[in-house]
Amino acid sequence: MTAQKTLSDLAVALLDGSVRVVDCAAPLGPNTPLLKLPPELAVDTPKIEIHEIARYNETGPWWAWNWLKLGEHSGTHFDAPQHWITGKDYPDGTTDTIDPQAFVAPANVIDCSREAAENNDFLLTADGVKAWEAEYGEIGEGEWVLMRTDWDQYNTDEDKFLNTDATGPHTPGVTADCVEYLMEKNVLGFGTQCIGTDAGMAATFDLPFPAHNLLHKNNRYGLASLTNLDKLPPKGAIFIANPLKIVRGTGSPVRALALVPAS
Ligand code: MN
């Protein structure tokens, strides 16, 4: 009965506008910024292509539709545990096997926008998360932790978004001790506004790519290229991030959404 009341209250709030839906996804198309790996490492994910099949013409007189070519890890997207070698053995570690209960969860939004602007290589640490908790309240089990950097302002400019120079890409992220702390708290996963869950320089860390390594080792999830986190409260938003049910998928673009109280 209580849950029924909660849902009926939510239904009213959605319809009367006292709960707003914030779009936390970037446009997905040929101009979407994509990860560039060092040439010695591997093959890059291909540019997104949208091909017209028909548009009310001879190939489809009454309809319009396209077909797409895109990598799983394109634009605003979800990282499943089997994306990383540390998570490769989880039977529920692919986009088609994850419990859908994980796709709707509370969000903690840690504002690092000032630090990231001052230092593009800024890393959120366990102490940084603890300081945030002292101010806003403890992060709970099963909740998202989202790192706000306002990096989405660069989403339409791949060069600025990737911020690469002769030494490599310079974008903010997390330390290994930060992810270890989040894993101790048994959070649902970690999300970022940058191209991937790890910092630009993460290939050079003592534990390379700590977010990927440790999140997926623990059967947890990642979110990348999120937008509009500046429109979310530090606590209180409900985050919806559901990957496409790609068979054995390692990730998927998502139309990430946040339910927030109207201001
Ligand atoms: Mn990814």
Side-chain angles (χ1 to χ4, degrees), residues 73 77-79 83 195-196 212 224:
H73 299 260
H77 73 273
F78 184 100
D79 284 353
H83 176 43
I195 194 84
H212 284 86

Side-chain angles (χ1 to χ4, degrees), residues 220-241:
R220 301 287 83 186
Y221 318 116
L223 290 169
S225 297
L226 295 171
T227 68
N228 291 325
L229 296 186
D230 57 314
K231 298 179 177 66
L232 272 53
K235 269 188 174 287
I238 299 293
F239 210 73
I240 303 169

Side-chain angles (χ1 to χ4, degrees), residues 67-82:
W67 68 271
L68 311 178
K69 176 178 169 182
L70 78 173
E72 292 170 327
H73 299 260
S74 299
T76 304
H77 73 273
F78 184 100
D79 284 353
Q82 287 202 21

Side-chain angles (χ1 to χ4, degrees), residues 92-169:
D92 58 348
T94 53
T95 47
D96 54 336
T97 57
I98 295 168
D99 181 350
Q101 196 82 19
F103 302 149
V104 183
N108 300 273
V109 181
I110 301 182
D111 183 4
C112 304
S113 57
R114 185 179 49 80
E115 294 89 336
E118 287 169 3
N119 172 16
N120 294 165
D121 291 313
F122 172 75
L123 298 176
L124 179 62
T125 62
D127 283 344
V129 175
K130 289 172 191 170
W132 182 91
E133 288 183 295
E135 188 166 355
Y136 297 105
E138 198 169 345
I139 293 168
E141 183 173 337
E143 299 180 351
W144 280 113
V145 175
L146 307 179
M147 182 180 182
R148 174 186 159 195
T149 53
D150 295 346
W151 214 258
D152 53 336
Q153 67 188 294
Y154 306 129
N155 218 303
T156 53
D157 180 342
E158 187 172 77
D159 288 342
K160 288 184 87 168
F161 196 68
L162 300 178
N163 200 32
T164 302
D165 66 14
T167 61

